[in-house]
Amino acid sequence: MPAIVILGAQWGDEGKGKATDQLGRAIDYCVRTSGGNNAGHTVVVNGEKFDTHLLPTGVLTPGCTPVIANGVVVDLAALFSEIDRFASRGVDVSRLVVSANAHVITPYHTALDKVTERFLGKNMIGTTGRGIGPTYADKIGRSGIRVADLFDEGILRQKVEAALDLKNQILVKVYNRRAIEPDQVVEELLSFADRLRPLVADTSLLLNRALDEGKTVLFEGAQATMLDVDHGTYPFVTSSSPVAGGVCTGAGIGPNRIDRVIGVIKAYTTRVGAGPFPTELLDEDGDRLRTIGGEFGVTTGRPRRCGWYDAVVARYTARVNGLTEFCLTKLDVLGDWERIPVCVGYEVDGVRHDEMPMTQSEFHHATPVYEFLDGWNEDISGCRGFEDLPKNAQRYVRALEEMSGAPFWAIGVGPGREQTIVLREG
Ligand code: GDP
Ligand code: IMO
Ligand code: MG
């Protein structure tokens, strides 16, 4: 089974890390293709919790090669501290490969991310403050720093000076901050060069050769479809392309290489940061979902906004990504409700919509149309087969599958590796 894409089907934190780990035992390469350390993926192995931010989750699978491909933006200090953190827990990180073309997050990107957010005030995006937006902006604006630049001091200095020429004007004159010294940035980046060099490779070549040899490559999504810069709730999005299409540009592989595209989706919905969220619950149900589901960010610790399952989002995600299947997660969290609302459509200014409205203004005005499904009021975290689930939980899953636009591959009933019901073997 050569190339599998796992991606977020909602607004992030769907359980991509756990799904990756689930398939991880049968894969040769695990590849991050977009985003940076704004991601936070959690895996629980034998009761022990691991969280990855930049390292592909496959690092936890012995024999699997983790790859940070060209589409990722890399904060080198964060990368090496994560490597050290994993190594100190006995994880073998020696196979890690990093693309020479991945862009580097510098201290001025992080500074700009934070001041821009502050400047936006109540219109802020609610970013993770990791410098993601400014780094991708420089990439597209052709003034970014890439991993390979760290191995040519002259070029690196030239690029950093050119970037800071303009950015210091902005920092000082617009945001009233202190200018950043180019020498300081160059020195900091160069301090990582020796440690980085042995990890760097042409990852597009590496991955294409692996696929030619019939190896199994898993592309581990970060962020999610509704946070995609093109297809998400713009401008309340991240600055990369977490959709399936982004895997091709982010890794340098052709679309015809991809065999499976799995959308990870929670049995309800969460979102961190600002932006529209039609099924959001600002009442006690929202608090209960947050508490029972442990909905607090892995990266920033922020409480996640919580709401019911949104089948319009699911259908949209299935379409935009060409999903071959869904992985439904956190079904166990819903064991506490008599009746569970599920959003089957929207009403926008008096008009019914079964598909995602065309414009963001319409989406901002969308109110959910709910269908109510019976709850099961039972702890299902010990179930291992579909037939073990209470009948109402089975009906809930089948109803969601029917309205979501792609078949369900697996169901999560707890954070543990073993707490998964696989409906069909891939
Ligand atoms: P990711 O960013 O998509 O990898 O997701 P996160 O790791 O940020 O958030 C998902 C959280 O839910 C983590 O704490 C996981 O351990 C946990 N989790 C994943 N699947 C399940 C599940 O089926 N049930 C429960 N209760 N927790 C889960
Ligand atoms: P994983 O991979 C949830 C959100 C931020 C903010 C917006 C832009 O764990 O699912 P950014 O720092 O990327 O410029 O912030 O995107 N965001 C995420 N939300 N999960 C994530 O990653 C996210 N990565 C970014 O909260 O609203
Ligand atoms: Mg996360």
Side-chain angles (χ1 to χ4, degrees), residues 11-13 16 38-41 126-128 222-223 227 237-238 272 302:
W11 277 279
D13 304 322
K16 296 176 290 293
N38 49 347
H41 298 178
T127 73
T128 59
Q223 289 74 55
L227 290 172
V237 291
T238 190
V272 201
R302 289 179 289 179

Side-chain angles (χ1 to χ4, degrees), residues 12-32:
D13 304 322
E14 298 90 349
K16 296 176 290 293
K18 186 192 157 192
T20 299
D21 181 64
Q22 188 69 32
L23 283 170
R25 276 158 281 175
I27 57 163
D28 301 300
Y29 292 83
C30 181
V31 190
R32 278 280 307 270

